Amino acid sequence: MPVHSGMHAGTVTPTMPGQDAFGAIQEIVRILEADPKTDWSKVDLEALRQHLIDMNEVTLKADAAQKPIEGGLEIAVTGTDRALVAIQRIIPAYAQTVNGLNGWAAKADTLPNGELLTVTANDPKEVQHIRGLGFIGLLVSGSHHQMHHLAMAKGEFDQRHLGQTH
């Protein structure tokens, strides 16, 4: 069978997994398999999969009504059904994780249909930074998330707070 132009046996391989969550889990599996210290009896990839489903719900299905406030931004993150459950798990955990990052004060308060995320700063440049990032930019800020995924997959992450709603 002839090799087509640009295709050489064994030299070209796809790099994209075809789906984000699949790719994130695939990356974690590669890291775990490369680490001889991985304790496979503690690995919990299903917990990571459920968290990625929550992330998808919050990213794509939640409503985020942003309002500039003194010193920052207030965001009413709301939804229904599965999105509401994801909001109630992710937003409080996020606020706790980034509180103090870049001098920010972050907190989450319960709403009947979601969470009220408030992020503020004393530094006027950080206030503009917060407002410029907006909801989704704030959620991806910091480098905590990838390590959090690895810890979750290794069974080292305390997942109890993810199931709590206030």
Side-chain angles (χ1 to χ4, degrees), residues 50-63 77-87 89-90 135:
Q50 291 301 317
H51 176 67
L52 294 171
I53 292 169
D54 281 351
M55 288 176 55
N56 190 67
E57 292 289 322
V58 170
T59 301
L60 300 176
K61 296 182 181 172
D63 292 318
V77 186
T78 58
T80 59
D81 304 321
R82 182 68 174 83
L84 176 57
V85 173
I87 290 164
R89 279 196 281 251
I90 287 185
F135 173 61

Side-chain angles (χ1 to χ4, degrees), residues 35 40 57 95 104 120 133 166:
D35 183 356
W40 289 99
E57 292 289 322
W104 301 347
T120 58
L133 287 170
H166 10 306

Side-chain angles (χ1 to χ4, degrees), residues 43-118:
V43 169
D44 188 354
L45 293 172
E46 181 57 23
L48 176 56
R49 187 178 83 84
Q50 291 301 317
H51 176 67
L52 294 171
I53 292 169
D54 281 351
M55 288 176 55
N56 190 67
E57 292 289 322
V58 170
T59 301
L60 300 176
K61 296 182 181 172
D63 292 318
Q66 303 179 155
K67 179 174 93 174
I69 59 168
E70 178 85 23
L73 195 60
E74 184 178 84
I75 308 158
V77 186
T78 58
T80 59
D81 304 321
R82 182 68 174 83
L84 176 57
V85 173
I87 290 164
Q88 292 170 328
R89 279 196 281 251
I90 287 185
I91 301 304
Y94 164 80
Q96 189 176 33
T97 302
V98 299
N99 190 39
L101 174 73
N102 299 327
W104 301 347
K107 68 175 187 160
D109 295 301
T110 302
L111 296 172
N113 59 342
E115 295 285 330
L116 182 65
L117 175 62
T118 306

Side-chain angles (χ1 to χ4, degrees), residues 2 10 14 31 36 76 89 91 98 102-103 128 144-145 149 151 161-162 166:
I31 292 168
R89 279 196 281 251
I91 301 304
V98 299
N102 299 327
Q128 291 305 312
H144 68 280
H145 221 92
H149 288 173
H161 80 277
L162 288 177
H166 10 306

